[in-house]
Amino acid sequence: MKKFMLAAFLGTAAGVLVTTQVTGPLLAQESEKTSNVYEQLDLFGDIFERIRAQYVEEVEDSELIEAAINGMLTSLDPHSSYLSASDFEDMRTQTSGEFGGLGIEVTQEEGYVKVVTPMDDTPADKAGMEAGDFITAVDGESILGLNLEQAVELMRGPVGSEIILTVVREGTDEPFDVSIIRDTIKLTAVRARTEGDSVVLRVSTFNRQTYPNLETGLKKQIEELGGEDNVNGIVLDLRNNPGGLLNQAIAVSDAFLDQGEIVSTRGRNPRDSERYNATDGDLSNGKPIVVLINGGSASASEIVAGALQDHGRAVVIGEKSFGKGSVQTVVPVRGDGAMRLTTSRYYTPSGRSIQALGVAPDIIVVQPRRDPNAEATEEEENDRPSRSEADLRGSLSNDDVSEAEREIIEAEQEKAEKAAELREEDYQLAYALDILKGLSAIANANGE
């Protein structure tokens, strides 16, 4: 016992000795850091005063301070920024689902303004803007060298006014201009419809309306098909969805999961990490799901796709997603403005970080770009009369098929023809519906 106590005492004494020896240098380093910070703040004050006194034109003090704050934040990453009082109000309005503008989500990539996605049925979408387009000028004025907030400010304007964007697009040799008339953007978060025996849920954004719209739309389409027994599955279309509210992404994921983790967020401090788990209940009662994504699917869209993919709840098809795996916290600050700060990364249930990597689809399906020169040839092919056994002179009739059976066969043929038409309009969606048919057939064969 005496030996143990002695060992404990020596250990404590050694610990005190080490602490005493290390604390001195640590305090000195911390003091030096603090001194450097104050020197830098003094430098900032000197430059601020020099600008006020000697800049060629008089500048508002508040504008200089806001610009300095925004510069500090935007130097961190493309998603951190300062929101003035008006910008903060605009952001809150957008998450409610109605605002004025062009209808495009943009980011900055290597100094260029890049379109993440044009939102459905907005002026930008109707004008032909595409995910991946680079905007180089606004109304003939180059935006190269501007930060993202400055470029966005140039694109703002009254509803009904025209804006000319100069666009560089991959696969196009020369830049070209796109004319857009600004309008009030009314986003319908979820559009639900049926294609054959499948329900298609087109989710265009994650705002406060998303989950309620999805729940109502799904129930309505199931009723129109005559009940769950007549539904072979669901296509969750997240293409060109730039994301939005984290809680809505969690709610949409939870809508099709009974249990397990949906997403986790991990910040600089481990104590700030959070996990979000699914609750019991599946709106589709286990129906097969296909998720559609592309390069315009970002943030909240990637959370949903990643969660359903990791749990084996859905087959993800399309093209690799955008790769925005960071979470921004919006903190109100004095003066009615706010600070948007990247505070954590999010991870899918399997522990994957999506940041800069995106969600890789289970099946890669590239949406082909229509060749204008090939349209005439396709039309000529379609105009050619098709011939079958029934068209041959003297062919045998099929008297073994009843009228009811014949009607069923003809209905199936009509569905197949509609599916073929859809391939011309939206190849990726048609592919998703084909996969659903296969999954449904397997489930029925297994008696599920």
Side-chain angles (χ1 to χ4, degrees):
M1 186 67 177
K2 290 181 179 179
K3 288 182 179 179
F4 174 78
M5 291 179 65
L6 180 61
F9 172 76
L10 290 173
T12 304
V16 170
L17 179 61
V18 169
T19 303
T20 304
Q21 290 175 335
V22 173
T23 300
L26 285 176
L27 287 173
Q29 289 175 13
E30 190 63 33
S31 176
E32 185 178 349
K33 284 183 181 178
T34 303
S35 176
N36 287 338
V37 168
Y38 283 121
E39 286 178 9
Q40 294 295 314
L41 289 174
D42 285 342
L43 174 62
F44 173 81
D46 291 342
I47 292 173
F48 176 75
E49 290 299 332
R50 183 64 62 91
I51 292 171
R52 291 179 69 195
Q54 298 182 1
Y55 185 65
V56 65
E57 295 177 355
E58 189 173 344
V59 184
E60 289 290 335
D61 293 352
S62 59
E63 291 180 3
L64 283 176
I65 296 295
E66 286 187 5
I69 294 171
N70 193 48
M72 178 168 54
L73 287 164
T74 56
S75 70
L76 301 173
D77 64 77
H79 308 293
S80 295
S81 63
Y82 173 73
L83 301 172
S84 65
S86 60
D87 291 340
F88 187 29
E89 183 59 33
D90 287 345
M91 188 206 72
R92 286 184 288 194
T93 302
Q94 288 183 32
T95 57
S96 69
E98 183 174 329
F99 56 95
L102 305 179
I104 50 174
E105 182 82 10
V106 294
T107 187
Q108 198 154 33
E109 188 173 292
E110 297 179 358
Y112 295 93
V113 175
K114 182 179 181 180
V115 176
V116 176
T117 181
M119 300 170 188
D120 288 353
D121 294 328
T122 60
D125 182 33
K126 293 173 183 176
M129 295 293 292
E130 295 182 4
D133 285 348
F134 286 93
I135 301 170
T136 60
V138 175
D139 290 330
E141 181 180 346
S142 174
I143 59 174
L144 299 181
L146 300 182
N147 63 38
L148 188 60
E149 295 299 321
Q150 292 169 327
V152 169
E153 187 63 33
L154 278 181
M155 288 186 258
R156 289 183 175 140
V159 170
S161 60
E162 183 186 24
I163 183 173
I164 306 293
L165 301 182
T166 303
V167 174
V168 173
R169 178 175 297 167
E170 185 178 356
T172 304
D173 294 334
E174 297 292 334
F176 57 94
D177 290 339
V178 177
S179 171
I180 304 176
I181 304 298
R182 298 179 179 93
D183 200 356
T184 299
I185 310 300
K186 295 181 180 179
L187 291 180
T188 302
V190 181
R191 289 182 174 85
R193 72 178 195 274
T194 57
E195 289 286 349
D197 299 328
S198 305
V199 176
V200 178
L201 298 172
R202 167 62 186 148
V203 184
S204 58
T205 188
F206 286 89
N207 60 27
R208 289 194 288 265
Q209 304 169 8
T210 302
Y211 177 76
N213 285 177
L214 182 137
E215 183 181 26
T216 302
L218 178 58
K219 287 181 179 178
K220 182 179 178 182
Q221 297 307 313
I222 290 174
E223 289 173 3
E224 289 185 2
L225 285 172
E228 289 179 6
D229 293 341
N230 298 322
V231 178
N232 69 2
I234 296 166
V235 174
L236 191 62
D237 187 353
L238 301 177
R239 290 174 298 176
N240 294 330
N241 182 323
L245 300 176
L246 175 63
N247 65 345
Q248 290 295 306
I250 293 167
V252 170
S253 302
D254 194 7
F256 303 109
L257 294 171
D258 278 320
Q259 60 183 356
E261 183 180 305
I262 293 172
V263 67
S264 62
T265 60
R266 305 176 200 173
R268 180 175 171 181
N269 190 331
R271 291 177 297 180
D272 295 334
S273 299
E274 292 191 55
R275 294 182 183 275
Y276 301 90
N277 296 314
T279 56
D280 189 37
D282 179 349
L283 291 182
S284 68
N285 285 330
K287 291 289 182 182
I289 298 174
V290 173
V291 176
L292 270 173
I293 60 172
N294 65 5
S297 307
S299 191
S301 300
E302 295 171 291
I303 290 175
V304 175
L308 297 182
Q309 184 182 55
D310 280 2
H311 282 287
R313 183 64 186 89
V315 176
V316 178
I317 76 167
E319 300 166 76
K320 189 180 76 170
S321 62
F322 185 75
K324 181 183 178 294
S326 60
V327 180
Q328 282 68 48
T329 301
V330 178
V331 183
V333 296
R334 67 180 67 182
D336 297 326
M339 173 178 62
R340 184 196 284 123
L341 184 66
T342 299
T343 52
S344 57
R345 290 183 173 91
Y346 69 74
Y347 295 79
T348 69
S350 66
R352 289 183 295 164
S353 171
I354 304 302
Q355 180 60 30
L357 297 175
V359 173
D362 299 308
I363 304 172
I364 295 175
V365 182
V366 179
Q367 186 85 322
R369 291 189 175 182
R370 293 182 64 86
D371 182 358
N373 298 322
E375 289 182 2
T377 306
E378 290 174 6
E379 289 172 3
E380 289 170 8
E381 290 289 336
N382 293 334
D383 288 341
R384 292 177 185 173
S386 60
R387 293 178 64 81
S388 67
E389 172 71 16
D391 296 319
L392 299 179
R393 182 180 297 175
S395 64
L396 295 174
S397 61
N398 193 338
D399 296 328
D400 293 335
V401 179
S402 68
E403 187 62 31
E405 289 173 328
R406 188 181 300 278
E407 288 177 0
I408 292 173
I409 291 171
E410 290 175 351
E412 290 297 326
Q413 289 176 343
E414 186 178 350
K415 286 182 181 178
E417 289 171 2
K418 286 184 178 179
E421 291 175 6
L422 183 61
R423 286 187 187 91
E424 295 298 320
E425 299 172 10
D426 191 337
Y427 180 75
Q428 288 177 325
L429 178 57
Y431 198 108
L433 294 170
D434 285 342
I435 290 176
L436 271 188
K437 290 176 186 177
L439 294 174
S440 179
I442 293 170
N444 291 334
N446 294 333
E448 296 178 6

